[in-house]
Amino acid sequence: MKENCENLHQRKIGVLGLGRMGGSIASYIVHGGFTVVGFDPIPERMLSAQAHGVIRGRSAADVTRTADVIVTSLPSSEAFVHVAEADLIPNATEKQVFLDMGTTSAPQIRRLGKDFRERGAFLLDAPVSGAPGPGMRVFIGGRPELVRICRPILETT
């Protein structure tokens, strides 16, 4: 499990959902010294993220196949469930870590967490309160060792 999170600054971080929240999170992660590949289906959001140093991914599945740790900031529980089932879980690799920074319902997170574990991957539930930057709070649930290892990503936001 540590292999995909060790030396995080040498690994690619994926960000899916580059709206106001996700775009800001991606920008902070880039400015924290990480290589970030991102995707959003809305072209203007993609262009804005690229202007902040985010590498353009071709799709959610492409970002999942490219990055070691994937951060999602999607607009609803339904959106996360759809993307997880269609793009993330089918393309997840062993020891890959997914951080859902949206507000996905607890029953769905638990169900999807099992699906990720069946692929050998890990899902951390990390909803936020406040805007990215000073004052933003992340409430994170998942394996403590993964939270500890992946904490440098969260500390950039």
Side-chain angles (χ1 to χ4, degrees):
M1 149 179 44
K2 284 187 172 185
E3 293 82 11
N4 267 13
C5 284
E6 283 186 83
N7 304 314
L8 278 175
H9 283 87
Q10 298 171 12
R11 308 245 179 223
K12 285 187 183 169
I13 309 303
V15 178
L16 300 174
L18 298 168
R20 186 173 15 164
M21 182 66 80
S24 294
I25 289 169
S27 177
Y28 276 102
I29 295 171
V30 167
H31 289 108
F34 294 94
T35 300
V36 176
V37 59
F39 177 75
D40 194 292
I42 299 173
E44 296 80 17
R45 292 178 179 174
M46 204 59 252
L47 289 172
S48 177
Q50 287 178 275
H52 290 280
V54 174
I55 300 165
R56 181 185 189 100
R58 292 181 304 242
S59 66
D62 177 55
V63 171
T64 303
R65 289 188 295 266
T66 302
D68 300 294
V69 177
I70 293 90
V71 175
T72 60
S73 180
L74 301 175
S76 67
S77 183
E78 295 79 15
F80 178 74
V81 169
H82 172 75
V83 171
E85 291 174 342
D87 299 306
L88 306 182
I89 295 166
N91 292 290
T93 59
E94 193 169 333
K95 299 181 183 176
Q96 200 170 28
V97 178
F98 295 81
L99 293 161
D100 175 27
M101 297 186 84
T103 52
T104 305
S105 71
Q108 294 288 28
I109 281 290
R110 285 190 289 272
R111 180 182 66 79
L112 293 169
K114 290 178 186 176
D115 294 341
F116 278 100
R117 283 192 304 277
E118 286 175 7
R119 302 270 313 176
F122 303 96
L123 176 61
L124 297 175
D125 185 20
V128 301
S129 175
M136 183 174 97
R137 299 290 180 250
V138 179
F139 305 91
I140 190 161
R143 295 177 68 165
E145 64 272 21
L146 286 174
V147 173
R148 191 172 37 260
I149 291 167
C150 296
R151 188 175 179 148
I153 296 168
L154 298 170
E155 288 177 343
T156 66
T157 62

